[in-house]
Amino acid sequence: DAGVIQSPRHEVTEMGQEVTLRCKPISGHNSLFWYRQTMMRGLELLIYFNNNVPIDDSGMPEDRFSAKMPNASFSTLKIQPSEPRDSAVYFCASSSFTDTQYFGPGTRLTVL
Amino acid sequence: TQLLEQSPQFLSIQEGENLTVYCNSSSVFSSLQWYRQEPGEGPVLLVTVVTGGEVKKLKRLTFQFGDARKDSSLHITAAQPGDTGLYLCAGAYSGNTPLVFGKGTRLSVIA
């Protein structure tokens, strides 16, 4: 079975540009999580969805960040406008009625 | 405030040595998980412990969940260079809710 798929794997952009990160969860999983990882703060939850519905977005840093899950097999995380402090590795994870979360390979974002 | 404190943050040891990593919290969790993350990859689940006092073994790795379900430890026997990576503990309050992650222990095993 395919795991969680994320694209792109690497993104380099300039400050002020819009960035869109994509995630395809494992088929049949009903929960999807977006995390951000930095050396200073570790893994931080940004937002999570249950059955395509956003449940908790309190981790989203500010209005520049938005996330959508239009269907059970696709989610996006958008940053507009991007800033250098957004540089991090962004992970998507999915789970199915259990505590176990399966992580994608991550997107390494660099904002210049 | 970090809900899950991991120690040590960094650990560099020689091949063949034993080591223990600790994960502590003031919160009670329904389960606690240990993940291992290699450079350029996402965290991969090693084990889930559910019952207070539970001990699980995975080859040379031994995981223990505290009696009160607030803390856990990971012990590696005879560490090998292949054990090198970032070890993360994560607590769950219930199924399908976000995990609370520690900041991780970065282990380097030198041949």
Side-chain angles (χ1 to χ4, degrees):
Chain A
D1 286 338
V4 175
I5 299 172
Q6 289 187 248
S7 64
R9 291 294 309 273
H10 302 274
E11 177 80 36
V12 180
T13 189
E14 293 189 344
M15 182 174 65
Q17 296 298 306
E18 177 179 296
V19 174
T20 299
L21 311 181
R22 297 172 176 80
C23 174
K24 178 178 169 56
I26 293 173
S27 177
H29 282 190
N30 68 321
S31 294
L32 184 141
F33 306 83
W34 281 102
Y35 293 89
R36 179 171 68 176
Q37 187 177 40
T38 61
M39 286 291 291
M40 287 295 295
R41 301 173 69 90
L43 263 173
E44 299 176 285
L45 177 73
L46 298 176
I47 185 172
Y48 80 101
F49 298 82
N50 277 350
N51 298 314
N52 313 338
V53 176
I55 303 301
D56 183 356
D57 65 354
S58 59
M60 297 284 258
E62 48 197 271
D63 291 347
R64 298 185 296 107
F65 286 68
S66 62
K68 293 183 179 180
M69 192 165 185
N71 56 62
S73 59
F74 184 66
S75 177
T76 60
L77 177 67
K78 186 176 293 186
I79 308 172
Q80 166 64 16
S82 58
E83 296 182 4
R85 60 190 166 127
D86 301 331
S87 297
V89 182
Y90 290 81
F91 288 101
C92 173
S94 68
S95 70
S96 174
F97 300 109
T98 68
D99 297 337
T100 302
Q101 294 184 15
Y102 296 86
F103 284 78
T107 295
R108 182 173 295 276
L109 173 65
T110 302
V111 183
L112 303 173
Chain B
T1 302
Q2 192 73 19
L3 292 178
L4 271 173
E5 298 285 347
Q6 281 190 246
S7 62
Q9 273 190 280
F10 301 94
L11 191 54
S12 182
I13 62 172
Q14 295 289 323
E15 181 178 3
E17 292 184 2
N18 302 333
L19 67 114
T20 303
V21 175
Y22 298 94
C23 177
N24 295 295
S25 175
S26 57
S27 300
V28 176
F29 295 105
S30 66
S31 69
L32 198 139
Q33 303 175 9
W34 285 91
Y35 290 80
R36 180 166 167 262
Q37 184 179 12
E38 297 192 45
E41 301 294 333
V44 175
L45 181 69
L46 294 173
V47 78
T48 300
V49 285
V50 178
T51 306
E54 181 177 5
V55 177
K56 280 192 175 179
K57 292 192 174 184
L58 187 66
K59 297 183 180 178
R60 292 176 295 100
L61 278 60
T62 302
F63 304 85
Q64 185 161 8
F65 202 11
D67 291 341
R69 306 209 314 278
K70 294 182 180 181
D71 54 87
S72 181
S73 63
L74 158 60
H75 182 79
I76 301 179
T77 303
Q80 299 177 0
D83 296 327
T84 293
L86 178 67
Y87 289 82
L88 296 158
C89 67
Y93 293 112
S94 65
N96 271 15
T97 57
L99 295 172
V100 176
F101 279 89
K103 285 192 176 181
T105 294
R106 198 166 294 277
L107 173 65
S108 176
V109 182
I110 303 165

